[in-house]
């Protein structure tokens, strides 16, 4: 349809492509609690340990060169990632956060009328990226807050072009085993791109989990990763994907020529090489993820077992005890969790594993909220 002539009269101003105004804009986790002196932000899955000191030093080292364009191909960073994971750097593309890459994949592989599948509690960027590319997001149910391979395969039609799957998923914290992911891949037609978003891969301890690297040997699988979580570089906006050569070629044609900044490249290299820091972050997460799951469950609230750096806490629908009530109670104490209504989980809150102080404060506040202290 001619967009100028769509509607009853010619448009009097520029109109975005169909789909764009259907997007519910992404609302990031809150970061303020008015009137509270000390705030603990546990709403964006950031690491409480911060980045590697070596990454901070590398970032600061760029301060004297801000007039220079970065290396548009981020080759030193791709090589560092390649060394860390044993990957061919030519099969890696870096982006301004993995969000950037998810959007680029949607723009490269979806046209008007195509379908992109994601699961009902899947990461919110997937429908945004699909609608932004003129495609239709197809939402499929989950089982026990976990992606359901059969439901995804049942939803595939001849219009499907992408399946987006976060593994582990945000905000549920659940993941598919490698066997299940392989079964999903086997069931997809070869012209459907399977986008495995492994933003939280570094935290997973299950030995039947695989981040997606092995499946990228196929022509229709891409794995996206981020520096925003375990590496603590969310402010710098840095992500990467590992993909078949033909996908790398397509994305390199449409990405911004300098989509990753010089300071981000420098900090990213230092971060990926600081294995000890990653290990410390993982150990902190393991200890407190288990503690939070145990302590919050003990209060009588259901916690979805998580493999990532956050927990999904379910609240009753009883007046005064709902997720909304709990959010207000916690926020008044400077404890900011993430509401999950936009993820079709109105009776839950997502809590990032924080510092020991923050974790203990949340448990104590929940105890008080539930009248158990
Ligand atoms: C599943 C998932 N994918 C991707 C991202 C985006 O990360 P980035 O900061 O790299 O854009 C997030 C961030 O919350 C996430 O939870």
């Amino acid at each position: 349809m001619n967009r100028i002539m769509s509607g009853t009269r010619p448009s009097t101003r520029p109109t975005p492509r169909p789909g764009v105004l259907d997007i519910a804009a992404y609302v990031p986790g809150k970061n303020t609690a008015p009137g509270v002196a000390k705030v603990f932000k546990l709403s964006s899955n950031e690491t409480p340990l911060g980045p590697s000191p070596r990454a901070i030093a590398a970032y600061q080292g760029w301060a004297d060169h801000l007039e220079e364009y970065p290396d548009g191909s981020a080759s030193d960073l791709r090589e560092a990632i390649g060394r860390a994971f044993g990957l061919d750097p030519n099969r890696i593309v870096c982006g301004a956060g993995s969000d950037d890459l998810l959007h680029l994949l949607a723009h490269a592989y979806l046209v008007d009328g195509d379908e992109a599948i994601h699961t009902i509690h899947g990461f919110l960027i997937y429908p945004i990226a699909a609608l932004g590319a003129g495609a239709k997001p197809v939402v499929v149910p989950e089982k026990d807050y976990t992606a359901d391979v059969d439901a995804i395969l049942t939803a595939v039609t001849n219009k499907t072009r992408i399946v987006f799957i976060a593994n582990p998923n945000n905000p549920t914290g659940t993941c598919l085993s490698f066997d299940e992911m392989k079964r999903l891949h086997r069931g997809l037609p070869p012209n459907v791109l399977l986008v495995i978003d492994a933003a939280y891969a570094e935290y997973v301890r299950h030995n039947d989990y695989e981040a997606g690297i092995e499946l990228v040997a196929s022509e229709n699988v891409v794995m996206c990763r981020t520096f925003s979580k375990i590496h603590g570089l969310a402010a710098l906006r840095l992500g990467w994907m590992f993909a078949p050569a033909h996908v790398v070629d397509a994305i390199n044609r449409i990405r911004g020529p300098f989509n990753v900044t010089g300071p981000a490249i420098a900090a990213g290299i230092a971060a990926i090489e600081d294995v000890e820091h990653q290990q410390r972050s993982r150990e902190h997460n393991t200890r407190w993820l288990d503690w939070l799951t145990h302590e919050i469950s003990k209060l009588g609230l259901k916690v979805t077992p998580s493999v990532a750096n956050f927990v999904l806490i379910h609240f009753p629908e009883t007046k005064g005890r709902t997720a909304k009530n709990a959010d207000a109670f916690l926020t008044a104490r400077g404890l900011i969790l993430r509401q999950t209504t936009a993820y079709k989980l109105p009776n839950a809150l997502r809590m990032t594993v924080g510092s020991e102080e923050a974790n203990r404060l949340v448990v104590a506040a929940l105890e008080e909220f539930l009248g158990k202290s």
Side-chain angles (χ1 to χ4, degrees), residues 295-302 313-316 318 320-323 325-326 329-330 362-373:
E295 294 297 320
I296 298 172
S297 305
K298 249 175 38 188
L299 298 176
L301 297 173
K302 188 169 170 280
I313 311 166
H314 302 266
F315 289 83
T318 327
R321 293 276 190 275
T322 64
N325 299 139
F329 188 91
L330 294 167
V362 170
V363 169
L366 284 175
E367 206 173 339
E368 195 185 335
F369 170 70
L370 296 167
K372 301 203 170 182
S373 57

Side-chain angles (χ1 to χ4, degrees), residues 97-99 102 123 126 166 168 170 197 199-200 226 228-229 237-239:
S98 46
D99 284 349
L102 295 167
F123 185 46
Y126 309 147
N170 168 19
D197 176 359
Y200 301 95
T226 183
S228 301
K229 306 302 172 186
R237 312 306 304 125
L238 189 58

Side-chain angles (χ1 to χ4, degrees), residues 92-308:
I92 293 170
V93 183
C94 297
S98 46
D99 284 349
D100 184 26
L101 298 165
L102 295 167
H103 280 286
L104 288 168
L105 287 163
H107 280 280
Y109 288 96
L110 297 173
V111 296
D112 292 356
D114 284 348
E115 294 177 355
I117 296 176
H118 68 95
T119 65
I120 184 157
H121 307 306
F123 185 46
L124 283 180
I125 294 297
Y126 309 147
I128 293 176
L131 284 165
K136 180 178 160 203
V138 174
V139 188
V140 302
E142 298 187 4
K143 230 188 232 164
D144 293 333
Y145 303 105
T146 308
D148 177 352
V149 170
D150 296 308
I152 296 173
L153 293 177
T154 304
V156 172
T157 70
N158 59 9
K159 290 185 177 167
T160 309
R161 289 291 171 274
I162 295 185
V163 172
F164 287 110
I165 185 157
N167 203 37
N169 184 48
N170 168 19
T172 53
T174 55
C175 73
L176 288 185
S177 68
F178 189 31
D179 281 349
E180 277 292 272
M181 195 60 91
K182 281 191 285 196
R183 188 164 78 81
L184 171 60
H185 176 241
R186 267 199 313 275
L188 292 175
N191 65 339
V192 173
L193 189 65
L194 175 60
V195 177
I196 304 175
D197 176 359
Y200 301 95
E202 292 86 351
Y203 293 111
V204 183
R205 289 168 285 155
H206 289 198
N207 54 13
D208 60 355
Y209 171 83
E210 202 277 326
I213 289 174
E214 293 196 32
L215 277 177
V216 176
S218 315
E219 291 288 305
N220 65 335
V221 183
V222 171
M223 176 195 67
C224 293
R225 303 286 284 260
T226 183
F227 281 86
S228 301
K229 306 302 172 186
I230 202 158
H231 297 294
L233 296 176
L236 291 184
R237 312 306 304 125
L238 189 58
W240 58 281
M241 69 174 205
F242 179 54
H246 66 98
V247 177
V248 168
D249 178 47
I251 298 305
N252 275 335
R253 287 169 195 260
I254 61 166
R255 70 175 172 83
F258 304 102
N259 62 334
V260 175
T261 69
I265 293 172
I269 294 169
I272 205 109
E273 290 178 347
D274 193 345
V275 176
E276 289 84 22
H277 185 75
Q278 292 163 44
Q279 187 55 24
R280 267 194 300 281
S281 303
R282 220 179 341 261
E283 280 165 11
H284 175 91
N285 192 66
T286 298
R287 170 167 178 220
W288 291 102
L289 177 71
D290 292 349
W291 185 84
L292 283 168
T293 306
H294 182 71
E295 294 297 320
I296 298 172
S297 305
K298 249 175 38 188
L299 298 176
L301 297 173
K302 188 169 170 280
V303 179
T304 301
S306 168
V307 297

